[in-house]
Amino acid sequence: MQGHFVTPEVLAYMEENYEQFISAMYSVYRATDLRFPGENELEEARTFAIKLLEKSKTINRDHNILISKGLQNMIKYELSVPWIARMDHIDHRMWIEENKAGPLWIGKASFYRLSCLDNKNLMQLAVENFEFRQSIYGQELEELKRWSKKWRLSEMGFGREKTTVTYFAAAASTCLPYNSKTRLEIAKAAIIVTVADDFYDMEGSLTELEILTDAVKRWDGKGLEGHGKTIFDALDDFVNDIASNCHPQEGTKLVPKLQDIWRETFISWMVERRWSLTGYIPSMDEYLQTGTISIAAHTMALPATTFFFQNETEKPNVLEYHNITKLLMETARLANDTQSYQKEEADGKMNLVLLHLKENPKTSIEDSITYVREILELKKKEFLKHVFMDDMSKSCKSIHLFCMKVFQMFFNSENLYDSETALLDTINKAIYLPIHHKKPFLKPSPAVPLNKKKENEISKILPSIPSENKKNTKITKISTRFHPILKDPDSTSVVKQRFVKNSSAAGAVRFNMCFI
């Protein structure tokens, strides 16, 4: 367009001089994370971008000023863990840590144009925002542990105790300001799913499982005892707790729908247990019809969507199965089966990889894994198209996306969910380990007692510190420009403590921005 000659062998030229195109290829690679079915050009672009980015990992930076250490680290990270399998909260920490050392890369073609070396306030806000979230997450995790202990789910004596892991997944999958209730309900559902699934797989006798399944069908716990009673009581309280957070009329309608979702999940576990005990080998189609339900992805995702429509006059049918929900269930099952076939073979359970191998005896186990992964990749593209293109509630689509990312994270390259140690370091970084910095302002120092005059002045400024039912107070109106009393450090500390104690994470961040 500008009168310059461009060789037709442009790809060959880029490959020979790849150091000059790493920034562009990194952008291409990130763009192709969102591929829809049939977009063959994007597949080719991604393959080419990966080829050049793999070369960049070995570049000696002493002889190439275009690639910083931070950019090189991010390329290695993103090539090893695909976007769909990464947790947003952990991603934010990595970007902060890499940027604290300097800009990732500088150049006209780069989308990253801010120099964090000169923008200390922005970096400070990012760090403090992250660490404030950690404080919220830590409190919620302790609340979840108390709930799990109250219903004895963490003390069953068999199976997997995953209270911390399930909360980490619910909290770290997104950095959007979804409320505490949503995170906790998703985590509670995941805990019940894990305990009940293990009870059906390894602990309960056939008689015990039939009694529990029948109780869930009738939604009546009379006659239950032992582990079956523990599971049903926790489940019943969980469903009623979700309904209690809605308008009474809405809650009455919600309960039977929630019960139906759990009924079909328990029934699917019972079917799989009978298969295992009797040695029945289902067809691949028959297995998937049951397996997409037994993975219980919808059991965790759909109830969480109810919290976003409590104040709307026209509510969508959030508990109905849309295409996006079916694809979430399918991708969760397929991802699980690619990493758990060895364990399930040892336990005498069915798995799509094993079924394909059985129906195609001339193939190898690697061929069967590849077959399942190819289906998974197609389903993921279909899922993403629904997430970004469907005309439905953005909140509903986001919940589905975050649940999808959690399953992909657990089963991307190995079975992380069944490991006792694989996620420990990541969980520590997400919830407990701070990002070291010099000047904290979101974690206020202990309150200094104020005299009566200052107490009265603060009361005039903040006539009602937000309570649990007043979290939408426009706290950003409180500013040192308008209220000189807040320039006093002691007063500011007290105000912050009162607000942070009762506010949502997002609201507290907005409040603290007033003090930058």
Side-chain angles (χ1 to χ4, degrees):
M1 292 177 68
Q2 302 298 326
H4 299 288
F5 174 77
V6 180
T7 173
E9 290 79 27
V10 61
L11 295 184
Y13 176 83
M14 292 175 67
E15 194 167 348
E16 291 174 4
N17 301 273
Y18 65 92
E19 300 98 331
Q20 302 176 33
F21 298 96
I22 294 304
S23 176
M25 288 298 101
Y26 183 47
S27 296
V28 168
Y29 176 77
R30 287 165 57 88
T32 57
D33 280 331
L34 302 183
R35 305 187 307 285
F36 298 163
E39 293 184 334
N40 298 325
E41 295 87 350
L42 278 186
E43 295 289 353
E44 295 174 7
R46 186 174 183 84
T47 300
F48 185 73
I50 291 174
K51 187 176 183 180
L52 267 61
L53 292 177
E54 288 287 355
K55 288 185 176 183
S56 75
K57 295 195 299 186
T58 61
I59 289 177
N60 185 342
R61 292 188 305 105
D62 294 336
H63 299 90
N64 194 312
I65 63 171
L66 296 177
I67 302 178
S68 69
K69 180 180 179 182
L71 175 57
Q72 206 166 33
N73 289 342
M74 292 303 299
I75 289 173
K76 291 178 182 178
Y77 172 61
E78 297 207 27
L79 287 177
S80 62
V81 185
W83 166 80
I84 198 67
R86 297 203 302 268
M87 300 289 94
D88 289 2
H89 183 59
I90 294 298
D91 257 13
H92 281 197
R93 178 173 186 129
M94 177 160 288
W95 278 92
I96 290 170
E97 290 176 334
E98 293 299 338
N99 276 286
K100 281 173 72 68
L104 289 188
W105 73 94
I106 301 172
K108 185 177 180 181
S110 170
F111 71 85
Y112 189 83
R113 304 294 289 276
L114 292 174
S115 172
C116 288
L117 292 175
D118 300 323
N119 203 326
K120 295 180 181 178
N121 284 346
L122 181 61
M123 175 58 70
Q124 183 183 349
L125 178 61
V127 171
E128 295 294 350
N129 181 26
F130 184 91
E131 292 185 359
F132 185 78
R133 283 180 178 275
Q134 285 183 312
S135 69
I136 296 296
Y137 294 164
Q139 295 171 26
E140 291 176 359
L141 177 55
E142 291 305 311
E143 180 181 342
L144 184 66
K145 288 179 178 178
R146 289 191 293 270
W147 173 86
S148 187
K149 186 175 182 179
K150 171 186 174 182
W151 293 102
R152 293 175 292 156
L153 296 174
S154 59
E155 303 169 353
M156 298 293 277
F158 66 87
R160 299 163 291 181
E161 203 295 296
K162 295 294 181 180
T163 302
T164 300
V165 171
T166 54
Y167 177 77
F168 155 75
S173 58
T174 176
C175 285
L176 295 180
Y178 289 157
N179 57 38
S180 171
K181 197 69 178 175
T182 303
R183 291 189 291 270
L184 289 173
E185 295 300 349
I186 292 176
K188 288 177 182 179
I191 292 171
I192 295 174
V193 164
T194 302
V195 171
D197 186 37
D198 286 347
F199 185 58
Y200 276 80
D201 281 349
M202 63 181 69
E203 181 68 15
S205 66
L206 185 60
T207 301
E208 288 176 317
L209 298 179
E210 288 175 340
I211 293 173
L212 176 57
T213 305
D214 182 64
V216 174
K217 285 180 180 178
R218 296 180 290 106
W219 211 268
D220 185 348
K222 292 180 181 178
L224 286 173
E225 57 185 24
H227 294 315
K229 177 175 174 55
T230 299
I231 292 170
F232 181 84
D233 288 347
L235 175 60
D236 184 50
D237 176 79
F238 171 77
V239 168
N240 290 326
D241 182 55
I242 292 179
S244 69
N245 286 277
C246 304
H247 187 277
Q249 186 176 358
E250 294 295 331
T252 302
K253 296 178 182 178
L254 187 63
V255 167
K257 293 182 179 180
L258 290 170
Q259 291 174 347
D260 285 343
I261 292 174
W262 283 97
R263 281 191 188 99
E264 66 173 0
T265 304
F266 274 74
I267 291 171
S268 70
W269 290 332
M270 189 71 244
V271 169
E272 290 183 341
R273 185 57 173 165
R274 285 200 182 100
W275 287 349
S276 179
L277 291 174
T278 61
Y280 175 74
I281 307 297
S283 67
M284 292 174 64
D285 288 341
E286 186 181 6
Y287 167 79
L288 282 175
Q289 287 177 0
T290 299
T292 52
I293 297 173
S294 66
I295 195 66
H298 67 304
T299 315
M300 294 175 273
L302 290 179
T305 62
T306 62
F307 293 104
F308 298 107
F309 305 101
Q310 296 177 18
N311 298 321
E312 296 185 16
T313 55
E314 296 185 8
K315 299 176 175 62
N317 294 320
V318 294
L319 293 183
E320 290 187 0
Y321 287 15
H322 300 279
N323 286 332
I324 190 174
T325 307
K326 295 176 182 177
L327 286 165
L328 169 64
M329 298 161 68
E330 291 170 348
T331 55
R333 169 51 64 193
L334 293 171
N336 174 282
D337 283 13
T338 60
Q339 299 298 337
S340 61
Y341 63 90
Q342 291 174 317
K343 176 180 180 293
E344 289 171 349
E345 184 178 29
D347 294 341
K349 291 185 62 180
M350 287 299 100
N351 180 289
L352 192 61
V353 172
L354 301 175
L355 287 174
H356 180 267
L357 186 63
K358 188 173 185 64
E359 292 186 8
N360 300 272
K362 293 184 179 181
T363 62
S364 65
I365 187 69
E366 290 77 16
D367 292 333
S368 294
I369 295 171
T370 299
Y371 171 80
V372 175
R373 283 179 176 166
E374 287 175 351
I375 300 175
L376 173 59
E377 287 303 312
L378 178 60
K379 295 292 183 182
K380 284 195 291 188
K381 292 173 186 176
E382 294 175 1
F383 176 85
L384 290 175
K385 186 173 183 178
H386 283 288
V387 168
F388 293 103
M389 303 301 291
D390 273 8
D391 185 18
M392 64 182 296
S393 163
K394 185 176 181 180
S395 296
C396 284
K397 292 191 294 184
S398 295
I399 287 291
H400 280 76
L401 176 60
F402 302 144
C403 287
M404 158 76 148
K405 294 186 73 173
V406 166
F407 276 96
Q408 298 306 311
M409 180 269 295
F410 281 138
F411 304 111
N412 175 49
S413 58
E414 58 182 303
N415 187 345
L416 297 180
Y417 195 68
D418 288 343
S419 172
E420 295 294 330
T421 58
L423 287 171
L424 289 180
D425 182 59
T426 304
I427 291 173
N428 280 332
K429 288 182 177 180
I431 301 176
Y432 300 111
L433 297 178
I435 300 174
H436 297 294
H437 61 291
K438 295 182 180 179
K439 191 179 179 183
F441 66 92
L442 283 179
K443 291 181 180 178
S445 57
V448 179
L450 302 179
N451 59 40
K452 190 68 176 178
K453 181 179 179 181
K454 286 186 178 180
E455 285 280 4
N456 291 336
E457 289 175 318
I458 289 176
S459 297
K460 291 178 183 179
I461 296 172
L462 302 179
S464 59
I465 293 294
S467 60
E468 282 301 310
N469 62 345
K470 294 183 179 180
K471 288 185 178 179
N472 291 325
T473 301
K474 293 184 178 179
I475 201 67
T476 51
K477 288 184 178 180
I478 302 165
S479 167
T480 53
R481 279 179 291 169
F482 304 115
H483 303 292
I485 182 65
L486 294 184
K487 292 181 179 179
D488 174 71
D490 294 343
S491 302
T492 299
S493 177
V494 172
V495 172
K496 286 184 181 180
Q497 283 193 326
R498 293 181 186 176
F499 179 74
V500 168
K501 181 178 179 181
N502 296 310
S503 177
S504 66
V509 170
R510 290 196 301 272
F511 174 82
N512 280 285
M513 288 177 70
C514 299
F515 297 91
I516 295 180

